[in-house]
Amino acid sequence: RKEVEQDPGPFNVPEGATVAFNCTYSNSASQSFFWYRQDCRKEPKLLMSVYSSGNEDGRFTAQLNRASQYISLLIRDSKLSDSATYLCVNYGGSQGNLIFGKGTKLSVKP
Amino acid sequence: DAGVTQSPTHLIKTRGQQVTLRCSPKSGHDTVSWYQQALGQGPQFIFQYYEEEERQRGNFPDRFSGHQFPNYSSELNVNALLLGDSALYLCASSWPPGTSEPGELFFGEGSRLTVL
């Protein structure tokens, strides 16, 4: 079983839609999780951290469910500029060591 | 303030050759990590350098080696190239351990290696 698993998509949604991605992780002792965004042929960039209490940043909400070992990312009111691949990430235990999922591709259409 | 810079951006090699990729971290960062991203996959951790030493290593063979210089810049070397080494190689830098969000890495745009 892979350490971090994501639905690869693609998710094709119209502008203004709400879309949710889920990600499961295998290491029950994991403490820290993140969502990164990667535009086509570009480098990954940190989107947001995922805290136990959940956190929200504008149109983006991240949730962590430790009992079920999954992480979610909700995007409300999708914009064309949200089109990208969203990578679910688990902290590997030392600075610089991150475990990435394969990514979920989102395409927002006009 | 320059971010993470990598060179070369693209290169083509043949099987059996050797390659060296270079990375300059973001100003103020002293930790450099290298990742391999194959097409359609997420980045995979190769190794991390801090204080000029390899501190952690992922599941990569010894053909992959690296170095960090006193100015914190780093090199990734891959020997005896295989077709399967074709990928985007990403360098990421971060603040000293304990001084920032542990998952906050700043990536360069990568070096795209094609092995023929």
Side-chain angles (χ1 to χ4, degrees):
Chain A
R1 180 182 172 187
K2 291 203 178 291
E3 292 190 67
V4 178
E5 295 204 60
Q6 295 181 250
D7 180 344
F11 283 60
N12 297 308
V13 303
E15 267 187 297
T18 295
V19 61
F21 307 136
N22 287 329
C23 159
T24 59
Y25 62 94
S26 61
N27 184 357
S28 59
S30 295
Q31 295 295 313
S32 302
F33 305 90
F34 310 90
W35 285 99
Y36 270 72
R37 170 192 168 130
Q38 186 170 26
D39 292 310
C40 188
R41 303 186 77 81
K42 292 291 206 177
E43 74 275 20
K45 292 183 180 178
L46 178 64
L47 177 66
M48 61 196 307
S49 303
V50 186
Y51 302 123
S52 296
S53 55
N55 54 310
E56 187 173 315
D57 183 3
R59 299 181 292 107
F60 298 82
T61 301
Q63 295 278 353
L64 168 61
N65 183 318
R66 288 197 183 276
S68 301
Q69 291 183 215
Y70 81 79
I71 304 133
S72 64
L73 177 68
L74 182 77
I75 305 175
R76 291 180 297 278
D77 188 23
S78 299
K79 310 290 185 192
L80 296 177
S81 57
D82 294 334
S83 297
T85 295
Y86 291 83
L87 297 157
C88 178
V89 184
N90 184 1
Y91 179 56
S94 69
Q95 191 85 358
N97 181 358
L98 299 181
I99 301 165
F100 286 81
K102 284 188 177 182
T104 298
K105 187 172 181 179
L106 172 65
S107 182
V108 181
K109 306 291 186 184
Chain B
D1 177 27
V4 179
T5 57
Q6 292 187 242
S7 64
T9 54
H10 295 81
L11 68 166
I12 300 173
K13 293 285 188 177
T14 56
R15 279 180 299 174
Q17 284 190 311
Q18 179 263 344
V19 68
T20 297
L21 309 177
R22 296 176 178 82
C23 170
S24 291
K26 183 176 168 66
S27 179
H29 289 185
D30 62 357
T31 301
V32 173
S33 302
W34 286 93
Y35 286 78
Q36 179 195 66
Q37 186 174 23
L39 199 61
Q41 304 292 316
Q44 268 197 289
F45 176 70
I46 303 175
F47 42 53
Q48 174 204 59
Y49 277 84
Y50 174 62
E51 292 184 336
E52 301 180 50
E53 288 190 18
E54 183 182 298
R55 299 291 178 169
Q56 274 239 316
R57 189 179 183 92
N59 189 24
F60 279 80
D62 292 344
R63 298 187 297 109
F64 289 77
S65 63
H67 189 77
Q68 186 179 34
F69 300 93
N71 66 353
Y72 308 128
S73 66
S74 177
E75 286 182 351
L76 164 65
N77 300 293
V78 187
N79 294 323
L81 285 167
L82 304 173
L83 296 179
D85 294 332
S86 294
L88 179 68
Y89 288 86
L90 294 160
C91 171
S93 70
S94 54
W95 301 102
T99 63
S100 67
E101 176 74 67
E104 186 172 19
L105 296 186
F106 293 80
F107 284 87
E109 292 194 359
S111 294
R112 192 167 297 278
L113 170 66
T114 301
V115 182
L116 301 176

